[in-house]
Amino acid sequence: MTEAGYSEPTPIQEGAIPHALTRRDVCGIAQTGTGKTASFVLPMLTLLERGRARARMPRTLILEPTRELAAQVAENFDKYGKNHKLNVALLIGGVSFDEQDRKIERGADVLIATPGRLLDHTERGKLLMTGVEILVIDEADRMLDMGFIPDIERIAKIIPFTRQTLFFSATMPPEIQKLADRFLQNPVRVEVAPPSSTAATVEQKLVASKGKDYEKRETLRSIINQQDDLKNAIIFCNRKKSVADLLRSLQRHEYACGALHGDMDQHSRTTILQNFRDGKLPLLVASDVAARGLDIPDVSHVFNYDVPIHAEDYVHRIGRTGRAGRKGKAFTIATSKDTKFVDAIEKLIDRKIEWLDGTPSSLGAEDSSEKPEPRARRSGKKQQAPSAATDKDEPKAAPQQDNRAPRPKNTANGSSSKPANDDRRRSRRRDRDDEPTPVGFGDDIPAFMLIGAKN
DNA sequence: AAAAAAC
């Protein structure tokens, strides 16, 4: 706890907790990584000490935009609420109703939910919201982005007017303010960080790349290999398909990596995230599902494989590193097509991001210097099955593989996506026969991290 | 140019 920075209150905690305890509504403007979660979990623990939950009538409700965030808040209750004998129910999609139903039936002190699943439960008539005393709306700006506001309105409507509401958002644009005005009564406003700031401890760089997929992948591998202090990293892509493609490519190059995006089944999402947190998986390829709020302590690097289309997402992505005053590095691969998005980011964060090699104008123009490998290499692979999109970048990557820096030695995915190219791989062994045999984690992965189960 | 969330 001390290590996590909770030995003394953070500004948002200092500002919000006393008011929450006096049952005032709170409008908190705080980014993740500011101790925001504890600023509602801790007072809730105190307020819940009196009284007990009745069957099917939860006493408090916390709404989160993504399943991972909801699970994370549930973990916080387990951590801080050890001695409070609370019933915590996590209601998220992608997993079965049964256990959730049982927890509701037993009487939940705390309900932590994503909007869709919560409404699903209420519509089945097994969940009564009339006993809710505290409503927490977390990540409101993101709820808005994701189109959840109508759901939130429906939910708020079935919760008694006499409730206390704690409302949190990283930013407070006019639409969010209007929303806050609707949900809150005479709130205390607590604001702790300017919305578009990036941590000063994060070293940010742009990396010029040519625009083809395989060229970007090669650029990415090259920056990864250049890092001598890489402990773990999140690699962000704009699309789920890119996440999947990049994962396959990196795995073929024997990087230990896993993927996280919203089309994956919940079991894989949970397992991969847990392995990444535990340090078993050093590289996480992810969509923006991982950009906000996920509490992964001490991510040393963030790589933006794609420049985010929305500038705010850049701030959220690189906010995964440099947390709690630690050092972090963020590299953004940019092609000539990304110029306007880069401009928008620099405008938002109000500073220029340096180019890695000081070559802003060389976008796509520096081919000769970096590529000693002639195209002739390609001829050797013509009878291969014309499948995996990753084929093309194999030969070019080979020369760099020999003296890679602290490269992860294992491959782990925890899901079904194994490179189905064993024979092809063997035939290319000569390209990297100095590589150690990859060791998979496979079954080594701890059992499905049951959300809310503590160890 | 996208992602996320209910079945």
Side-chain angles (χ1 to χ4, degrees):
Chain A
M1 254 164 77
T2 313
E3 184 201 337
Y6 294 112
S7 49
E8 60 186 65
T10 66
I12 184 73
Q13 291 162 6
E14 208 166 8
I17 291 177
H19 297 294
L21 285 172
T22 62
R23 319 256 14 198
R24 283 281 299 273
D25 280 7
V26 172
C27 180
I29 303 150
Q31 293 182 290
T32 47
T34 56
K36 179 188 56 159
T37 305
S39 76
F40 58 82
V41 170
L42 296 177
M44 284 174 75
L45 289 172
T46 303
L47 295 169
L48 283 165
E49 271 171 6
R50 279 200 306 257
R52 286 187 58 189
R54 290 152 64 189
R56 282 179 270 157
M57 289 181 63
R59 302 171 63 197
T60 62
L61 171 63
I62 300 169
L63 292 171
E64 295 287 337
T66 68
R67 299 169 184 174
E68 276 76 15
L69 282 172
Q72 191 171 290
V73 172
E75 281 167 22
N76 271 270
F77 272 95
D78 290 336
K79 192 162 87 185
Y80 300 128
K82 264 187 207 140
N83 308 315
H84 290 255
K85 283 178 272 177
L86 291 176
N87 290 327
V88 176
L90 179 61
L91 307 188
I92 58 174
V95 293
S96 89
F97 278 92
D98 296 350
E99 198 191 333
Q100 297 177 359
D101 273 336
R102 276 199 298 278
K103 290 206 168 149
I104 294 168
E105 196 70 39
R106 209 192 300 161
D109 297 292
V110 183
L111 220 55
I112 304 160
T114 45
R117 182 55 73 98
L118 182 86
L119 284 169
D120 214 339
H121 276 284
T122 58
E123 277 156 17
R124 291 152 144 246
K126 292 211 165 179
L127 182 56
L128 297 170
M129 306 307 286
T130 50
V132 172
E133 300 161 42
I134 303 174
L135 169 66
V136 179
I137 299 169
D138 197 15
E139 302 269 330
D141 50 352
R142 194 165 183 209
M143 299 266 201
L144 179 76
D145 287 350
M146 291 169 65
F148 280 159
I149 298 308
D151 285 351
I152 305 290
E153 307 242 20
R154 280 171 65 200
I155 293 165
K157 223 176 268 175
I158 55 175
I159 298 179
F161 187 63
T162 51
R163 67 170 192 252
Q164 178 185 14
T165 307
L166 311 175
F167 182 99
F168 293 90
S169 188
T171 58
M172 197 53 72
E175 296 153 285
I176 300 288
Q177 186 60 57
K178 262 165 51 191
L179 207 64
D181 294 342
R182 279 214 297 285
F183 291 137
L184 298 168
Q185 297 178 57
N186 185 28
V188 183
R189 190 179 162 112
V190 184
E191 181 162 4
V192 300
S196 60
S197 66
T198 50
T201 51
V202 178
E203 183 186 327
Q204 302 172 56
K205 287 278 186 329
L206 289 164
V207 184
S209 174
K210 297 218 278 180
K212 295 252 171 48
D213 284 348
Y214 71 89
E215 292 165 329
K216 288 178 74 173
R217 289 196 291 263
E218 189 180 325
T219 305
L220 174 68
R221 288 196 303 274
S222 151
I223 331 167
I224 292 176
N225 298 344
Q226 279 167 34
Q227 307 305 309
D228 48 15
D229 51 355
L230 191 151
K231 282 205 289 278
N232 57 354
I234 306 181
I235 303 162
F236 283 104
C237 302
N238 286 356
R239 295 180 209 67
K240 289 177 281 197
K241 173 143 192 345
S242 314
V243 171
D245 291 348
L246 183 58
L247 176 78
R248 266 209 316 274
S249 169
L250 287 171
Q251 285 179 337
R252 285 167 57 88
H253 286 274
E254 299 179 9
Y255 291 82
C257 53
L260 190 68
H261 65 70
D263 277 356
M264 291 165 53
D265 68 82
Q266 193 55 36
H267 176 87
S268 304
R269 283 168 68 163
T270 309
T271 310
I272 295 284
L273 186 57
Q274 190 58 40
N275 284 340
F276 185 69
R277 280 190 177 134
D278 292 347
K280 293 177 186 167
L281 199 57
L283 297 178
L284 182 68
V285 187
S287 70
D288 280 315
V289 70
R292 303 192 197 194
L294 284 192
D295 184 30
I296 301 161
D298 213 12
V299 174
S300 70
H301 288 66
V302 165
F303 299 101
N304 287 317
Y305 176 77
D306 295 312
V307 180
I309 294 164
H310 294 302
E312 320 85 70
D313 287 332
Y314 176 84
V315 178
H316 291 294
R317 287 180 182 187
I318 76 161
R320 300 304 93 208
T321 186
R323 305 188 65 182
R326 292 195 190 88
K327 285 190 179 166
K329 291 185 180 170
F331 294 90
T332 299
I333 297 176
T335 71
S336 53
K337 288 177 182 164
D338 296 320
T339 314
K340 65 178 173 186
F341 300 117
V342 171
D343 290 348
I345 289 165
E346 291 182 327
K347 193 173 167 207
L348 177 71
I349 65 175
D350 197 25
R351 66 162 132 152
K352 288 281 177 196
I353 310 171
E354 269 178 49
W355 290 85
L356 183 59
D357 297 313
T359 54
S361 57
S362 65
L363 274 185
E366 95 281 0
D367 18 8
S368 52
S369 60
E370 291 281 340
K371 295 191 182 97
E373 198 58 20
R375 301 183 75 83
R377 279 274 210 152
R378 279 172 184 245
S379 57
K381 48 195 288 269
K382 48 167 70 116
Q383 13 104 277
Q384 277 152 16
S387 61
T390 50
D391 278 0
K392 306 187 200 89
D393 52 350
E394 287 279 341
K396 286 193 178 164
Q400 301 177 345
Q401 302 214 347
D402 305 338
N403 37 358
R404 269 206 254 275
R407 202 186 52 134
K409 298 286 190 300
N410 297 326
T411 54
N413 50 25
S415 74
S416 53
S417 61
K418 266 225 161 70
N421 302 308
D422 285 316
D423 41 347
R424 218 189 301 174
R425 286 170 75 142
R426 230 171 287 129
S427 75
R428 280 198 204 141
R429 266 251 168 237
R430 62 194 144 78
D431 281 348
R432 46 160 181 261
D433 45 16
D434 54 337
E435 293 288 323
T437 309
V439 181
F441 293 108
D443 307 323
D444 209 22
I445 291 162
F448 176 40
M449 176 195 87
L450 249 190
I451 296 154
K454 53 185 168 245
N455 294 331

